[in-house]
Amino acid sequence: MEDLALSLVKKRFGMEGGELLVGGVRAGALAEKYGTPCFVYDRRVFDEKLDALRTALPKRFRVAYSVKANPSQAILRHFISCDCGLEIASAGEFHQALQAGCNPRQILFAGPGKTVAELEVVLSNGIGEIHIESVTEAQRIGCICKRLGARANVAIRVNPACEAEGGAMRMGGRPTPFGVDEETLDEVLQLVLEDAALSFQGIHLFTGTQILDPKILVNQYRHGLGVARRVVSRTGRPLHRVDFGGGLGIPYFSHEHELDLTELRGALAAVFGEIESDPAFAGTEFMVEPGRFLAGEAGIYLARVNDIKISRGKKFLILDGGMNHHLAASGNLGQTIKRNYPMALLNKLHVPAEETVNVVGPLCTPLDTLARDVILPRAEIGDLFGIFQSGAYARAASPLGFLSHATPPEIWVDAGRDTLVTARGEFFGELPDNSHESTVK
Ligand SMILES: *Cc1c(COP(=O)(O)O)cnc(C)c1O
């Protein structure tokens, strides 16, 4: 077993007789009851992460969950019940949020390329706030509002002129399709302020994802406050909202360390303490909208070892699911270097690792490699394999239709009680009756 997997088992899940527990239930029991491959989620881990985040943030912060990380209904309902807002980036996510029972006023709509149809749907259903990403969008929202007789709460997403990196600022933000360049912010601000159908709420900044260094986050927030201050000096009134986006990371590989929330808490307390009585931020609500940080650690992908073979001296474990369900673990979702996710044989946690193997899925493509040269206990066909850190950007960011395998079900486990929240989906109905041609006589 890789070190990170073992530390996650200890820190978040626990084990019994060498077998992983998820929400107090043996992983093997879940696999038997619901079949493999599947995704399992432990409610307590969602709670731990949200509590830790809220503890690290200064008082005036509100947390929204970013739906694109994982739009599973159970997860949305959970965050809604914990008094989080939801950040969406499509009309589809808006429907999912409403279906989960979210008050539309608690939904923020961000993301480039919002279509007229999408904007109409959210505006006629009382969306809380839309984050404008271009001049076109500002005009479009204004037009739709006039047609619907509505007024929209809008914030402007700013693409900062300099990017926070490590301890230092790297000057010169890069070209990006996200947000409005800080250099042209005045132009869009003017448009918004002049349009009576638009109610200007504030700004939104979000520049990076998977950040594990608190210094980078704090620099981003500090810079965001600077941008906000300049906007306040233009408008002459405090902002209702400053949204710092998501981007808080979780460790995926053995060389990565968890985001130090104690350090983050101290640094944020200092930065936000300075502006405590600043009139520019009187009544301002600050916001973060993480996806990965809140959902990533709570989910595990379970699959079974379906075949084991040796090719020219290399041992391959072939699972019953692969990149079609978990593109990120195969290294094909944006990684430049392929590294192994934290993974383990879940029924052999107490067995010493002694074999170096490659782990692959069942797809007919060399892309479907989940691990290269991972050291695991000696595997047998039928062993239960688990990939950790699979609650965010795993199932939701995978090509589920590729090769037409069944889509993996999702199981929610809450303190010993497991519930099927998404059923397995097949790409075919009844097989056509070809019995006359059957080879089984
Ligand atoms: C994807 C996204 C997020 C969440 O990012 P994480 O890195 O998962 O925290 C938040 N806000 C917006 C606008 C996004 O597009």
Side-chain angles (χ1 to χ4, degrees):
M1 189 194 327
E2 302 269 289
D3 293 336
L4 180 55
L6 186 57
S7 72
L8 287 165
V9 170
K10 286 191 182 136
K11 181 164 188 188
R12 303 283 181 208
F13 299 100
M15 59 169 125
E16 192 178 277
E19 186 176 339
L20 178 77
L21 294 175
V22 182
V25 183
R26 289 186 305 105
L30 294 171
E32 235 153 71
K33 184 166 172 184
Y34 300 101
T36 56
C38 63
F39 282 87
V40 295
Y41 306 111
D42 185 341
R43 182 227 161 104
R44 204 191 49 211
V45 182
F46 287 104
D47 282 336
E48 285 172 4
K49 298 293 296 202
L50 179 59
D51 287 350
L53 177 63
R54 282 185 166 150
T55 306
L57 294 171
K59 277 195 301 291
R60 279 201 267 162
F61 269 74
R62 203 174 145 65
V63 177
Y65 168 67
S66 180
V67 173
K68 81 169 184 290
N70 190 331
S72 176
Q73 283 287 302
I75 296 176
L76 301 190
R77 271 186 255 119
H78 174 72
F79 284 115
I80 295 164
S81 77
C82 296
D83 192 33
C84 292
L86 295 179
E87 180 270 323
I88 60 154
S90 73
E93 290 187 350
F94 184 67
H95 282 287
Q96 282 164 305
L98 293 186
Q99 200 189 332
C102 194
N103 178 342
R105 308 299 307 168
Q106 298 300 324
I107 302 177
L108 309 175
F109 189 9
K114 303 174 190 78
T115 65
V116 170
E118 286 180 305
L119 290 167
E120 276 171 356
V121 167
V122 300
L123 283 167
S124 47
N125 285 281
I127 183 122
E129 197 170 288
I130 302 178
H131 291 179
I132 290 176
E133 310 240 358
S134 71
V135 172
T136 312
E137 239 172 54
Q139 293 165 333
R140 222 172 244 178
I141 296 167
C143 283
I144 296 169
C145 281
K146 268 154 237 150
R147 193 156 10 100
L148 296 175
R151 191 149 189 262
N153 290 329
V154 297
I156 302 175
R157 178 165 177 182
V158 183
N159 170 29
C162 54
E163 233 175 299
E165 262 194 17
M169 287 285 196
R170 192 177 67 94
M171 297 306 291
R174 277 170 285 192
T176 148
F178 309 114
V180 171
D181 288 347
E182 191 178 344
E183 301 87 312
T184 62
L185 178 58
D186 276 1
E187 184 193 331
V188 183
L189 190 58
Q190 192 65 30
L191 259 174
V192 170
L193 294 174
E194 282 171 0
D195 191 332
L198 305 180
S199 169
F200 179 62
Q201 300 292 307
I203 60 165
H204 173 198
L205 300 110
F206 177 33
T207 45
T209 186
Q210 182 50 11
I211 295 165
L212 290 167
D213 181 350
K215 291 183 189 68
I216 297 180
L217 285 169
V218 172
N219 274 338
Q220 279 182 1
Y221 292 16
R222 192 183 286 122
H223 184 71
L225 289 175
V227 176
R229 202 183 292 281
R230 287 194 284 285
V231 172
V232 170
S233 67
R234 276 282 325 272
T235 62
R237 54 193 159 101
L239 297 176
H240 176 67
R241 155 121 51 231
V242 178
D243 182 341
F244 297 99
L248 293 87
I250 59 172
Y252 287 99
F253 311 113
S254 288
H255 68 282
E256 291 180 332
H257 296 285
E258 239 186 309
L259 181 64
D260 185 336
L261 292 175
T262 312
E263 183 181 338
L264 183 67
R265 181 185 188 181
L268 288 180
V271 171
F272 286 83
E274 282 167 31
I275 59 151
E276 190 60 45
S277 50
D278 186 333
F281 299 107
T284 302
E285 182 178 78
F286 299 107
M287 180 141 207
V288 288
E289 46 186 38
R292 189 190 309 276
F293 182 87
L294 291 175
E297 293 198 5
I300 304 170
Y301 178 60
L302 305 187
R304 262 198 215 282
V305 177
N306 184 44
D307 199 355
I308 298 177
K309 58 195 261 190
I310 294 171
S311 166
R312 307 220 160 91
K314 178 101 238 162
K315 195 169 216 177
F316 290 87
L317 309 188
I318 303 175
L319 306 181
D320 55 5
M323 69 176 286
N324 51 332
H325 300 160
H326 204 324
L327 187 67
S330 74
N332 294 301
L333 187 71
Q335 293 98 315
T336 40
I337 306 168
K338 275 203 191 193
R339 291 196 176 99
N340 300 334
Y341 260 51
M343 50 183 63
L345 289 173
L346 302 181
N347 55 328
K348 292 184 172 170
L349 295 176
H350 62 307
V351 179
E354 55 173 322
E355 264 193 346
T356 302
V357 299
N358 283 7
V359 181
V360 303
L363 307 194
C364 309
T365 159
L367 295 177
D368 193 10
T369 298
L370 296 170
R372 284 202 167 78
D373 295 326
V374 62
I375 306 169
L376 295 173
R378 189 168 298 276
E380 292 153 285
I381 290 175
D383 278 346
L384 191 58
F385 188 86
I387 304 180
F388 293 87
Q389 308 298 61
S390 299
Y393 305 113
R395 190 184 189 279
S398 296
L400 296 179
F402 193 30
L403 269 93
S404 301
H405 286 281
T407 61
E410 296 180 285
I411 294 108
W412 178 260
V413 192
D414 181 359
R417 282 188 47 219
D418 48 275
T419 315
L420 180 71
V421 290
T422 308
R424 190 180 303 283
E426 299 286 359
F427 283 90
F428 51 83
E430 289 289 291
L431 287 176
D433 182 13
N434 291 332
S435 49
H436 55 286
E437 291 174 7
S438 175
T439 48
V440 186
K441 292 280 178 267

